[in-house]
Amino acid sequence: MTPVRVIVWGENRHEKIEEHVRKIYPDGMHETIADGIRENLGDGAVVRTVTLDDPEHGLTEEVLQDTDVLVWWGHAAHGDVADEVVERVHRHVLSGMGLIVLHSGHWSKIFMKLMGTSCTLRWRSEHDRELIWTVDPTHPIAEGVPHPLEIEEDEMYGEFFDIPAPDELIFISTFSGGEAFRSGCTFHRGHGKIFYFRPGDQDYPTYHHKDVRRVIANGVKWARTVRPERAAPVLLRYETGEFFKGAGYTGPLG
Amino acid sequence: MTPVRVIVWGENRHEKIEEHVRKIYPDGMHETIADGIRENLGDGAVVRTVTLDDPEHGLTEEVLQDTDVLVWWGHAAHGDVADEVVERVHRHVLSGMGLIVLHSGHWSKIFMKLMGTSCTLRWRSEHDRELIWTVDPTHPIAEGVPHPLEIEEDEMYGEFFDIPAPDELIFISTFSGGEAFRSGCTFHRGHGKIFYFRPGDQDYPTYHHKDVRRVIANGVKWARTVRPERAAPVLLRYETGEFFKGAGYTGPLG
Amino acid sequence: MTPVRVIVWGENRHEKIEEHVRKIYPDGMHETIADGIRENLGDGAVVRTVTLDDPEHGLTEEVLQDTDVLVWWGHAAHGDVADEVVERVHRHVLSGMGLIVLHSGHWSKIFMKLMGTSCTLRWRSEHDRELIWTVDPTHPIAEGVPHPLEIEEDEMYGEFFDIPAPDELIFISTFSGGEAFRSGCTFHRGHGKIFYFRPGDQDYPTYHHKDVRRVIANGVKWARTVRPERAAPVLLRYETGEFFKGAGYTGPLG
Amino acid sequence: MTPVRVIVWGENRHEKIEEHVRKIYPDGMHETIADGIRENLGDGAVVRTVTLDDPEHGLTEEVLQDTDVLVWWGHAAHGDVADEVVERVHRHVLSGMGLIVLHSGHWSKIFMKLMGTSCTLRWRSEHDRELIWTVDPTHPIAEGVPHPLEIEEDEMYGEFFDIPAPDELIFISTFSGGEAFRSGCTFHRGHGKIFYFRPGDQDYPTYHHKDVRRVIANGVKWARTVRPERAAPVLLRYETGEFFKGAGYTGPLG
């Protein structure tokens, strides 16, 4: 199998503005996330990074066509992502590109568009300990992940998390404050596979955590499509007895 | 329990333009659909109709606030529905209003926004016989529905239907041409319950069919929320040890 | 609608053997559970109790035929339940009787038979505080339930809970020790609806808790079938074009 | 990755008793099924066959420990399978062995035990044409499978199929007589992955069909566990703050 082609998209705002974030992620959060994937997948992946400030946010048609799986980290600047780029990414997901959405990406335009809900939740950034429990132990994304996965301190996200019921619920987090969160969820949209994974905040070294990196890398492997072509589902008319050749749509009125 | 307050939304285009549709639905398709709900729920429902040509398509803030369940039929004029109205309906669904989407409503703006997918399918309007098989026989929407439910002739919709995997798959249709379709599906979005039901086309008397009417009425009963308030989920910050009083969001940067 | 006919089945062992349990549940745990249902459903329910020591454990064919929903509490004596009675209850569940399984009932013969798994979990009885978070806020079983539902002290159950992925995940529990548990789950088997609800142990006054009682009562209402007849699915042969009258099975060989 | 170790279990009764079956499957159905897996997986699989008449039906503890995925075909002699062997297979599935159940295996003891339901359905053996539609196009089991997959003639199975709602519904069949069937379903039980696939009967050459063989081979690849050890979930007690070392169960009474 050829290596999976991965783009890690980073908003790259906190790192520029906030000294304490830059200290944890001196090359930007996206570089640390990318390193974690390389560390786990080795020759099995070619991982690049792009950021919000790149032309077209680094997500041109050409780039997306060469991308098997897109990993998304954003937080402070969701509103700055151009609608046109969101539409393009959406089209590529429905056409078969995998998508990994991390943490605060729950409020990104692309995730909300794919979910159809408010994607709201409860939160607190007060150094809670997080424990991540596996409830789907045969899922490939849970491979090699400790039960529980322990994160010494992290931001808290709690239920109710307003998402559609996930196709597969893999992980549930608890926090030292007592909250629970569905923190590892898969969704299928069109020909695309989506994995949402909760941990990680700019204020914590979460993306240096060995097991968090493992989960993200597992997600990348899982989200790569088995379909040979990048193509979205289309509406077609089929004659009686003809199952393979459909005709394009010509409008609702004869 | 107070009667469920229902609005049937009708696009009301084919009936105006096409003589053969007007013959089947002389008062408009929405009136026939509304009658079917009244026929089944009696005093248990107050059913009104509005159409695309009403001011704000008949879906003002006031109307929606007084609506428990909205039933949607559209086909030829999806593009004429104002985005602002779609946003408003979307907000009400996330806040707890039930939504029944019929047939060609699969391509309505509101359904696509709630699903996040292309909602495409295969189709043919050639008088196929449709058989609707119940695969979730304990579901309230299947109550009193024959197995199979037989429709002498109807438009064909076939897989692949590009929707998220439904929360509950209640009905599967087959057509005399051999196609299959997931024709009765539920979804939850925010605090709203959604039921998609396939049968029905302007060219066929489907909404006069006793059992089709029964299913739609069952759907209306099911989609009414048990929550006392019309309110969408919101993102709130909670202090450690405080579980009930959250603080509003003040932005991503301290 | 006629009142729902409920049987609360109690193992009634701890109450007899252990003084500290008898103090919390002087009439037996089953009576406290039954009172909680009556308290919530009033005239809407007729609730009776039977116990392990009754002839046929109180679950004769006649009793089960007159039961809409069976509520099950067992712990120390799962092995003493006769296989014949388990088969009978199983047949009634597949035929449409609702079943509510509480707490340690996860290891009852009937629940294991319906699940097909080991139903194992992690546990500790050390006075953990339990918080129960609603992740399916439109589900009828969550109606009127605080978010979170707080239980001052209770036994801990933690993941991995070896059950099939539930059809609906309604509640997730966290414990002060940090564990998580899928504590409110629905399953459908045959024509029967099943609700598993975690809280409750003989050592704690859990079944006196107002909100726990509310959830159990909601579960009872939900688990009652809408099907008119008590009948299990059967294997039948259908001629081509005949959809309603099937012939009984006569064996695999012509 | 090492080759997946597959056992195809064949009942091997029809082939012995019925001349017309022996003509279609001269080496036994199990050999044809095994060949189809070899044809698709090549060096990626080591495939062996065992039958009902082997000692312990060929499914000794040693054999199962060396088996990654078990493929099951049975029909006329479900009752002849020893309960002890069924218990053993069940334990291995919960411990991580994959299981592919074909066609009439819906009524095998092992499948019914894993499902907890009656596994009944409607049927007819009258040379219906079967069309198999993919409703989960990104699933690895659907890789390279035509949409629809066409089987010129086969036995009909129709809904209602009394199984738990599958974790993933991949395929839906229609038959020329008009029936529908959920024909490709996955389930997870314990640490084991299960795939039920409908096509195939002793009276038809279904297991010589190129695409049917592809699906079974895809199922085998999918059902192989990613977990390193063959072990069933167990019930363990954990002290507060101790998440990895649990203590064995010592009974319900202190």
Side-chain angles (χ1 to χ4, degrees), chain B residues 122 129 131 133-137 147 159-160 169 172 174 177-180 182, chain D residues 122 129 131 133-137 147 159-160 169 172 174 177-180 182:
Chain B
R122 64 174 65 203
R129 178 197 64 185
L131 295 173
W133 301 90
T134 297
V135 298
D136 187 354
H147 179 72
E159 297 284 348
F160 175 63
L169 176 62
I172 294 174
T174 66
E179 287 86 358
R182 289 169 292 171
Chain D
R122 64 174 65 202
R129 178 197 63 185
L131 295 173
W133 301 90
T134 298
V135 298
D136 188 352
H147 178 73
E159 297 283 345
F160 175 62
L169 176 62
I172 294 175
T174 66
E179 287 85 358
R182 288 169 291 171

Side-chain angles (χ1 to χ4, degrees), chain A residues 86-102:
Chain A
V86 175
E87 290 295 330
R88 193 186 297 150
V89 172
H90 186 254
R91 178 167 43 81
H92 274 274
V93 171
L94 297 193
S95 302
M97 184 177 70
L99 180 68
I100 313 296
V101 176
L102 298 175

Side-chain angles (χ1 to χ4, degrees), chain A residues 8 13 17 76 124 171 232 241 249:
Chain A
V8 177
R13 279 285 178 278
I17 300 169
R124 172 181 63 241
F171 302 120
Y249 191 58

Side-chain angles (χ1 to χ4, degrees), chain D:
Chain D
M1 207 150 55
T2 58
V4 56
R5 299 163 301 170
V6 184
I7 296 282
V8 177
W9 188 89
E11 181 187 277
N12 201 27
R13 279 287 178 277
H14 290 281
E15 304 92 317
K16 287 188 174 171
I17 301 169
E18 299 178 307
E19 172 67 22
H20 73 276
V21 177
R22 198 158 48 241
K23 264 184 139 164
I24 308 175
Y25 299 105
D27 301 318
M29 301 181 71
H30 44 287
E31 290 299 341
T32 304
I33 294 166
D35 280 345
I37 299 168
R38 290 183 195 113
E39 173 183 296
N40 279 280
L41 301 189
D43 290 346
V46 175
V47 187
R48 291 181 297 160
T49 62
V50 297
T51 69
L52 178 61
D53 290 330
D54 291 329
E56 302 187 46
H57 313 323
L59 301 172
T60 61
E61 182 63 30
E62 291 67 35
V63 165
L64 293 178
Q65 275 178 10
D66 286 343
T67 301
D68 294 312
V69 181
L70 175 63
V71 181
W72 194 277
W73 198 95
H75 181 226
H78 292 316
D80 295 349
V81 179
D83 289 343
E84 189 196 330
V85 173
V86 175
E87 290 295 330
R88 194 186 297 150
V89 172
H90 186 254
R91 178 167 44 80
H92 274 274
V93 172
L94 297 193
S95 302
M97 185 177 70
L99 179 68
I100 313 295
V101 176
L102 297 174
H103 190 65
S104 44
H106 73 90
W107 251 10
S108 61
K109 288 182 179 178
I110 182 62
F111 189 64
M112 294 180 71
K113 186 175 175 66
L114 286 160
M115 297 295 106
T117 58
S118 73
C119 300
T120 52
L121 44 80
R122 64 174 65 202
W123 70 284
R124 172 180 64 240
S125 188
E126 294 290 351
H127 306 271
D128 279 68
R129 178 197 63 185
E130 178 175 11
L131 295 173
I132 303 180
W133 301 90
T134 298
V135 298
D136 188 352
T138 67
H139 201 286
I141 295 181
E143 185 180 357
V145 177
H147 178 73
L149 189 169
E150 193 170 352
I151 300 178
E152 218 170 303
E153 52 174 18
D154 208 344
E155 189 178 23
M156 181 281 286
Y157 278 8
E159 297 283 345
F160 175 62
F161 183 21
D162 179 19
I163 48 169
D167 293 340
E168 297 163 310
L169 176 62
I170 307 174
F171 302 120
I172 294 175
S173 288
T174 66
F175 297 87
S176 36
E179 287 85 358
F181 196 73
R182 288 169 291 171
S183 57
C185 302
T186 72
F187 305 91
H188 300 71
R189 295 291 182 271
H191 293 149
K193 301 168 81 174
I194 302 162
F195 174 53
Y196 175 81
F197 189 46
R198 195 217 79 83
D201 194 66
Q202 71 280 352
D203 293 339
Y204 303 92
T206 314
Y207 296 118
H208 294 286
H209 191 297
K210 182 173 68 74
D211 299 321
V212 169
R213 291 157 83 108
R214 174 69 187 257
V215 171
I216 296 171
N218 284 349
V220 164
K221 272 203 295 185
W222 170 85
R224 182 195 212 172
T225 189
V226 296
R227 296 177 66 86
E229 281 169 41
R230 176 70 49 95
V234 284
L235 190 141
L236 293 172
R237 187 186 191 286
Y238 287 81
E239 299 296 331
T240 306
E242 168 54 63
F243 299 121
F244 298 99
K245 283 183 198 144
Y249 191 58
T250 55
L253 291 162

Side-chain angles (χ1 to χ4, degrees), chain B residues 157-207:
Chain B
Y157 277 7
E159 297 284 348
F160 175 63
F161 184 21
D162 179 20
I163 49 169
D167 293 340
E168 298 163 310
L169 176 62
I170 307 174
F171 303 120
I172 294 174
S173 288
T174 66
F175 297 88
S176 36
E179 287 86 358
F181 197 73
R182 289 169 292 171
S183 57
C185 302
T186 71
F187 306 91
H188 301 72
R189 295 290 182 270
H191 294 148
K193 301 169 81 174
I194 302 161
F195 175 52
Y196 175 82
F197 189 46
R198 195 216 78 84
D201 194 65
Q202 71 279 353
D203 294 339
Y204 303 92
T206 314
Y207 296 117

Side-chain angles (χ1 to χ4, degrees), chain C residues 1-21:
Chain C
M1 204 150 58
T2 57
V4 56
R5 299 163 302 170
V6 184
I7 296 282
V8 178
W9 188 90
E11 182 187 277
N12 201 26
R13 279 288 177 278
H14 290 281
E15 305 91 318
K16 286 188 172 171
I17 301 170
E18 299 179 307
E19 172 66 20
H20 73 277
V21 178

